[in-house]
Amino acid sequence: MKGAMLMLLLIIIFFILQVIVKDMRPLSLVEGEAFIDMIEYACPGFKCPSRWWFTKQLEMAYQHTLEDLKKDLKKRSSKITLTTDAWTSIATEAYLGITCHYIKDNWEMVTLVLCTKPLEDRQTAENIARWIEEVAEKFDFSLSDDVQAIVHNNAANVVKALRILEERHGVASLRCAGHTTQLIVNHALKDPRINKALGAARSLVGYFHSSDVATLKLKLKQEQMGTAQHKLTQDVAVRWNSSYDMITRLLEQRWPVTATLSDPEVTRAAKHYLDMKADQWSLLEELQQALEPFAQATVFLSGEAYVTVSVLPPLVKGLQKSTQTAFESAPIATFKTAAAAEIASRWKIETTYDEDGNNVCIFAAALDPRFRKLKFLSTDDILKVKIKLQTLALEARRVQMREEPEEDDSPSGQPDHSRQKPNSILDMLLGRDDDEELEDEDPGQDQSEDAVRNELLEYFGEKPIPKDKNPLQWWKENEKKFPALAVVAKSYLAAHATSTPSESLFSAAGTIVSKKRASLTKEHVDMLTFLHNNSE
């Protein structure tokens, strides 16, 4: 009976910890009057431990999970990719978020949160580089040998920090495609006529958000006109895609909005200026069409559960095509011209082969069976990419051969000493004739090179698979057919095109560091965020 009661108490404590970690509840929850009453009712006589006791359990859970995660990282057979970003909490404390990504042996994508590292010093490039090195040391992996790339935003100090790490460790630096898209569009949206139309749209949406009467009348007009009953969306000045969402919703609700503004109960005569002019509505329609490719590209590249880095080069070419001017107004033509110039400038590294650079996006696209024809490159560059991939695949093949157990060819199963022992001292000094023949021929190396070369020819000779197919599933089914290329593919396809994972990390961190928990220590913020995101 006592054993059953003890088991019940342990289960209750376990689930209380789960509530704190998974649902991101404050540790003070366990000292709340209603919570204590609930536990007392569910288990009479049970005295809930204090939050300090649960804090100790949290620290122990963190250490256990940390060790398990480090073991998982050591078991992987491919390189990893990191994403990183900085964040400031409600308590004005700075953190560096780092996430880790790799592909398991069964070709499933794995995402792990490594840390929400508290930052005590200034965020200089040298400090950021050192902090990333400290995280690698903490989790027992090498930036030089184990990390394929680090994805980051375009902040000057972060870019400089990644240059430092590239010089020290040879790790590739990838700028967040989402942030780059934002810079491109923001630059292209500077036309005064576009800004004036966007300003009119913001004023109109803001008016409906501030007026209960206007909101109620809009719902009535939506019902009368059979329009979807959606609220208008207000944009945020620093995020262009929110402006796209605002325009899209406003165009959807144009006629209910216009009808609502014509109602004297809603708009006084002096406020009829809120209703935009016909040419402004037309400009917004054109702008919405011009922005749509960028919006869809941003959404797709921000995904975490599927391959994104290999899509970037062909997607950039598609965006360049979308900026080719057609029969449109002058402001939109100006927007497209500016966007095309920015695309060519900011995405040059990701779409151009550089023999001296770490072409992560290019190699990932080549190893993605959807894009293996590399239509976005010149014929000469395609050949260079294939030659480099052959070198990488051959290195992977040699590693595989070193790790494979050596087969014993001797009939007795014992080592063949006659092949190893020289016949005389002179033989030992000069070397035996059969050893020289073996060195000259080196049949194992020749066979490996032939095998890899054949792999490459067969892989690039096949037709690309449809764009909507999963490249990881294709590799899972064809891994035995292309064993050396498969190893290289795992390392490159694990990279993310954006730093969204590390940015998403701060959504959880922001919930954890709420007003009720603004007194949490930085170390416990790191632990709670780590446990919440790695709870599986």
Side-chain angles (χ1 to χ4, degrees), residues 461-490:
E462 292 188 0
K463 292 182 179 180
I465 64 175
K467 300 294 189 295
D468 59 348
K469 297 300 182 181
N470 182 355
L472 297 186
Q473 180 61 35
W474 185 92
W475 273 111
K476 184 177 181 179
E477 296 167 359
N478 292 272
E479 182 175 13
K480 292 182 179 178
K481 188 176 179 181
F482 307 106
L485 279 175
V487 175
V488 184
K490 272 183 184 174

Side-chain angles (χ1 to χ4, degrees), residues 124-347:
T124 63
E126 186 62 45
N127 283 341
I128 293 172
R130 175 171 54 83
W131 293 329
I132 294 174
E133 289 173 331
E134 288 174 357
V135 171
E137 183 179 356
K138 178 178 179 179
F139 286 87
D140 293 341
F141 61 80
S142 165
L143 289 174
S144 303
D145 301 327
D146 299 321
V147 178
Q148 186 67 61
I150 300 178
V151 188
H152 56 92
N153 62 28
N154 288 267
N157 57 342
V158 179
V159 172
K160 190 175 180 181
L162 266 296
R163 286 202 195 101
I164 294 172
L165 292 177
E166 191 168 1
E167 291 174 1
R168 289 178 184 170
H169 307 284
V171 61
S173 165
L174 278 181
R175 301 194 190 202
C176 172
H179 192 234
T180 301
T181 306
Q182 180 172 320
L183 294 174
I184 291 169
V185 176
N186 282 345
H187 179 83
L189 285 173
K190 289 183 178 180
D191 187 281
R193 292 160 292 186
I194 292 177
N195 284 331
K196 188 175 180 179
L198 286 174
R202 290 188 190 104
S203 298
L204 181 56
V205 173
Y207 175 71
F208 276 88
H209 279 199
S210 62
S211 172
D212 293 336
V213 175
T215 301
L216 291 172
K217 287 287 184 179
L218 178 60
K219 287 183 179 179
L220 180 61
K221 296 298 182 183
Q222 287 171 335
E223 291 177 2
Q224 291 174 349
M225 296 182 176
T227 308
Q229 294 191 28
H230 295 153
K231 293 182 178 179
L232 299 183
T233 303
Q234 184 72 67
D235 72 339
V236 180
V238 294
R239 300 188 70 86
W240 73 265
N241 48 341
S242 67
S243 298
Y244 169 80
D245 294 335
M246 178 186 71
I247 294 169
T248 302
R249 181 59 54 81
L250 197 54
L251 290 171
E252 175 196 82
Q253 300 295 328
R254 175 178 178 178
W255 300 116
V257 165
T258 302
T260 302
L261 290 175
S262 66
D263 190 326
E265 294 183 25
V266 175
T267 314
R268 297 190 301 274
K271 286 196 174 180
H272 274 296
Y273 67 87
L274 286 169
D275 193 6
M276 295 187 297
K277 299 175 182 178
D279 61 330
Q280 290 178 322
W281 282 106
S282 297
L283 181 55
L284 288 184
E285 286 179 351
E286 288 187 277
L287 184 59
Q288 192 266 347
Q289 292 175 12
L291 288 174
E292 187 173 11
F294 293 92
Q296 292 187 1
T298 300
V299 171
F300 181 83
L301 292 173
S302 298
E304 297 182 43
Y306 51 86
V307 176
T308 56
V309 69
S310 60
V311 182
L312 186 56
L315 196 63
V316 169
K317 292 297 181 183
L319 288 175
Q320 285 178 322
K321 288 182 180 179
S322 75
T323 60
Q324 293 175 357
T325 55
F327 296 102
E328 55 207 4
S329 64
I332 300 303
T334 301
F335 166 83
K336 288 189 174 183
T337 301
E342 286 291 298
I343 289 172
S345 172
R346 292 186 180 275
W347 268 325

Side-chain angles (χ1 to χ4, degrees), residues 58-68 527 530-531:
L58 173 74
E59 293 168 353
M60 290 172 59
Y62 172 80
Q63 288 300 327
H64 284 303
T65 306
L66 176 65
E67 293 304 317
D68 288 342
M527 290 180 187
F530 178 88
L531 288 171

Side-chain angles (χ1 to χ4, degrees), residues 45-56:
F46 173 70
K47 181 174 176 58
C48 188
S50 69
R51 65 171 146 175
W52 309 115
W53 186 87
F54 276 103
T55 299
K56 292 296 181 184

